[in-house]
Amino acid sequence: MTERVIRVGFLIFPGFPMSCLTSVIEPLRAANEISGRHTFAWDLIAEGTEPVISSAGIAFEPSRSLADTANCDYLLLLSAPTSVFAERSSPAHLRRAARHGTILGAISGGVFPLLRSGAVGDAALSVHWCYEAAFLAEFPGVPASDQVIEITPRCVTASGAAAAFDLALHMVETELGVGIATEVACWFQHPMMRKAGVQQMVPVLGEGSNQEDLHPIVARAIDLMARHMSVPISMAEVAEDLAITPRHLERSFKRATGQNPTNYYRAMRMKAARQIVMYSNDTMMQIAEAVGYASSKVLVRHYREAFGISPREDRQRINLTRVKGNLPVPSV
């Protein structure tokens, strides 16, 4: 009896995060070795035939073109959020692959071209927290999941390189069982097998910790702030929602983060604004509205105070880097 082979295609774009590629291939390779079976095979796919330069500056030679993906079981997009299709026919190739049974997916910034292709409908998409503001600005109304991985019957997404390893473990477990998947995880000293439903870890601004380490009151307050970016919420409203006094909220925030909640909230909005500056072509007024400013002048002033540079100057600096090295900033 012929063994079933799962073919995984990686559609790579210039500046794709190399760690996301190896974080899927290496567990699949290990699963083949441990099981003694050739269950998984993989191909590097590109729109053209030229080598593709990764975010680390290393060139990868594609083995197939996007037009030749008929027998892929999975087709995963790896890119920066700013990546665009070089060929007009590429989105159609992705839609055709989906119609013929290929499970489409994306890792990290690859969710951007995946959604732009029109090949996925209302599937849940895992969006890395550092891209969330840019994602919501470009795709208003499309839910951005904060889960480490999202798995549906026709679409799989992972938020970053470590999450890509978890996605690979899911593929191994599906085909070879939990025993092989556990042994693969142990081979690489992967601390645990995270499955769907695990929330991403988000760093606390100005602190060497993440949101999971915070006092529940502060974590809930930050979650409220994050859900009120375009229409800001007052600290009195945050305190009322949490059934505490504004003074209690301020004391809790200072103990946990070293900042008062108002300054923390502004820093969150500035980080969101910078994502949109970096990963979109939105105007300053559109960016201001996305992070809750009625005036772009006030946004520019606060942006300069936060980063020492205006949004326009920041975007020009980033674009110069992209043109010179064809590299996105940053790639995760």
Side-chain angles (χ1 to χ4, degrees):
M1 181 176 176
T2 304
E3 287 186 357
R4 168 175 158 82
V5 177
I6 306 299
R7 299 205 68 89
V8 182
F10 297 93
L11 176 56
I12 54 177
F13 293 77
F16 77 93
M18 186 173 70
S19 59
C20 292
L21 175 65
T22 57
S23 288
V24 179
I25 290 178
E26 284 299 296
L28 300 185
R29 173 194 62 80
N32 284 348
E33 293 188 23
I34 291 169
S35 67
R37 297 162 55 185
H38 187 65
T39 300
F40 297 100
W42 45 88
D43 291 289
L44 295 187
I45 298 168
E47 293 183 85
T49 59
E50 297 298 315
V52 179
I53 308 298
S54 72
S55 59
I58 297 174
F60 286 78
E61 193 86 34
S63 55
R64 302 167 67 182
S65 72
L66 182 55
D68 180 27
T69 55
N71 65 340
C72 281
D73 296 285
Y74 291 86
L75 181 55
L76 307 180
L77 279 65
L78 279 69
S79 77
T82 48
S83 296
V84 295
F85 292 106
E87 302 293 334
R88 293 179 61 184
S89 60
S90 294
H93 289 314
L94 290 174
R95 294 193 295 269
R96 184 195 65 203
R99 286 196 303 270
H100 286 79
T102 297
I103 299 173
L104 298 183
I107 300 171
S108 190
V111 295
F112 285 77
L114 177 62
L115 198 53
R116 291 173 192 139
S117 73
V120 292
D122 56 357
L125 300 175
S126 174
V127 179
H128 193 288
W129 60 264
C130 81
Y131 298 146
E132 183 183 15
F135 183 91
L136 295 177
E138 182 172 352
F139 309 112
V142 177
S145 170
D146 63 357
Q147 305 298 298
V148 170
I149 57 175
E150 285 285 359
I151 298 169
T152 68
R154 304 307 318 154
C155 183
V156 295
T157 48
S159 53
F165 198 105
D166 294 309
L167 178 59
L169 290 176
H170 163 79
M171 296 162 67
V172 172
E173 183 175 338
T174 298
E175 298 300 325
L176 297 174
V178 66
I180 298 295
T182 301
E183 190 167 347
V184 170
C186 292
W187 264 34
F188 293 94
Q189 292 297 291
H190 197 63
M192 65 176 182
M193 293 172 58
R194 299 178 299 179
K195 300 187 178 182
V198 178
Q199 194 169 12
Q200 295 178 42
M201 294 177 62
V202 180
V204 176
L205 295 175
E207 297 290 315
S209 58
N210 63 72
Q211 202 164 325
E212 288 185 351
D213 300 326
L214 293 174
H215 188 282
I217 286 177
V218 178
R220 287 168 58 200
I222 291 174
D223 184 60
L224 271 173
M225 295 173 187
R227 288 189 276 117
H228 288 82
M229 282 290 183
S230 59
V231 183
I233 188 172
S234 71
M235 292 306 108
E237 290 172 313
V238 172
E240 182 180 0
D241 194 281
L242 299 177
I244 60 175
T245 66
R247 179 61 181 155
H248 187 181
L249 176 66
E250 184 164 348
R251 286 199 304 266
S252 299
F253 245 91
K254 284 188 174 178
R255 279 198 301 268
T257 70
Q259 303 180 54
N260 67 45
T262 300
N263 289 344
Y264 191 96
Y265 192 21
R266 180 190 291 184
M268 287 177 65
R269 291 161 69 194
M270 287 301 99
K271 287 194 72 173
R274 197 174 205 195
Q275 287 181 33
I276 304 172
V277 166
M278 294 171 74
Y279 302 120
S280 82
N281 292 316
D282 287 1
T283 66
M284 291 304 114
M285 193 62 235
Q286 288 172 322
I287 296 171
E289 291 173 352
V291 295
Y293 283 85
S295 165
S296 60
K297 289 183 179 179
V298 178
L299 167 72
V300 171
R301 185 172 76 247
H302 287 178
Y303 196 102
R304 190 181 290 277
E305 289 172 0
F307 305 117
I309 191 172
S310 76
R312 294 186 193 280
E313 292 166 341
D314 211 4
R315 179 173 279 173
Q316 288 170 354
R317 177 185 60 81
I318 293 162
N319 285 339
L320 281 174
T321 304
R322 290 182 182 134
V323 170
K324 288 179 180 176
N326 199 27
L327 301 178
V329 184
S331 200
V332 296

